[in-house]
Amino acid sequence: MAFTTRQIGPCFAAEASGLDLREPLSAHDVAAIHTAMDEHAVLVFHDQHLSDEQHLAFSRSLGALEDSSGTNLREADEYRLPTVFADVSNLDKNQQVLAVDDRRRLFAIGNRLWHSDSSFKIVPAKYSLLRALVIPSSGGNTEFADMRAAYDALDDETKAVAECLICEHSQIYSRLQLGFTDFTEVERERFKPVRQRLIREHPSTGRKSLFLASHAGRIVGWPTAEAMGLLKDLVEHATQRQFVYPHAWHVGDLVMWDNRRTMHRGRPFPVDQPRDVRRTTLVGDGPTAEQAD
Ligand SMILES: [Fe+2]
């Protein structure tokens, strides 16, 4: 059976079938996946019951992977998974659900805000590949927003204003929106802001997208209140229902998305239930902006 895609909801999301991701991919399949990602931006693979090793092998066949060290509040000896995975679960290293008031859990609530993975890194992410092993009895959807369609729908005046703007992204800014300010000095240094263009061009398609995330907390040269006003307006615009695909997870799903032209957010679920989802992340193409000295 050949690799095929079928649009689901808005045109940037598609179901993919015809591949067993446990098996090595041919060069033809790899090229077909990249082409499908350029055409859509979110691909959903159902019934892929992968081991961690198979998840890694599939991811590496598409490109080099990020390391998740230092991107959360886990200490070095508290990681449940090798750091080539981003542990998006609510579990500690003993597979126990984190307590409601655990600061690692509270920090992770930042994933419920719209974002693009690793926009707080100088080189932001390319694709994310998230696989569901255990899901809660209700809630826990992931919603995706099409930032290319959102850019296209902006009026010309806003496009002109946004074109050359540079934003500062940090996980401290996204958590500030939640009232979470409980950072040590070491963490503040680790999470210091990086610069990203507000409008970016896709390297394969040449199409422009808004590059937004709740991690964006400043615009270079703008007063903070003015910057946040614009950023909130843009997020509100970009996440109107016509731009959004909500994914309801099934165990065995693997969802892959292009962070360069989408945002996403997790939705709440019962706090006492385990949710084990594991992400690999492809390294992006390069910085989108010059960094401050
Ligand atoms: Fe994410």
Side-chain angles (χ1 to χ4, degrees), residues 88 111 115-117 128 257 259 264 279:
V88 195
N111 289 324
H115 65 282
S116 174
D117 287 335
S128 292
W257 62 90
N259 289 291
H264 61 280
R279 193 187 87 213

Side-chain angles (χ1 to χ4, degrees), residues 15-85:
E15 261 174 8
S17 54
L19 288 180
D20 180 348
L21 304 184
R22 294 172 300 183
E23 302 295 331
L25 298 180
S26 68
H28 179 268
D29 290 336
V30 169
I33 289 173
H34 286 301
T35 301
M37 285 296 282
D38 287 344
E39 185 184 344
H40 298 288
V42 177
L43 290 184
V44 177
F45 297 84
H46 291 299
D47 301 316
Q48 302 285 341
H49 298 274
L50 307 182
S51 65
D52 283 352
E53 291 69 28
Q54 289 162 339
H55 184 164
L56 285 176
F58 170 58
S59 307
R60 286 187 172 124
S61 67
L62 299 174
L65 301 186
E66 283 189 357
D67 186 282
S68 70
S69 304
T71 58
N72 54 59
L73 297 190
R74 289 178 197 251
E75 296 294 331
D77 62 353
E78 292 176 341
Y79 280 82
R80 188 176 69 102
L81 303 172
T83 57
V84 70
F85 287 99

Side-chain angles (χ1 to χ4, degrees), residues 1 5 38 109 128 130-131 141 146 237 252 256 279 281:
M1 196 176 157
T5 58
D38 287 344
I109 289 177
S128 292
L130 188 62
R131 142 178 162 255
N141 285 4
D146 183 349
H237 162 78
M256 175 164 46
R279 193 187 87 213
T281 315

Side-chain angles (χ1 to χ4, degrees), residues 5-16 40 42-46 244-247 255:
T5 58
R6 185 179 69 87
Q7 187 181 320
I8 40 174
C11 64
F12 77 116
E15 261 174 8
H40 298 288
V42 177
L43 290 184
V44 177
F45 297 84
H46 291 299
V244 172
Y245 162 65
H247 182 70
V255 180

Side-chain angles (χ1 to χ4, degrees), residues 12 38 40-41 145-148 202 209 258-262:
F12 77 116
D38 287 344
H40 298 288
D146 183 349
M147 304 303 282
R148 186 170 92 187
H202 197 281
S209 291
D258 187 342
N259 289 291
R260 299 168 301 181
R261 56 156 294 201
T262 59

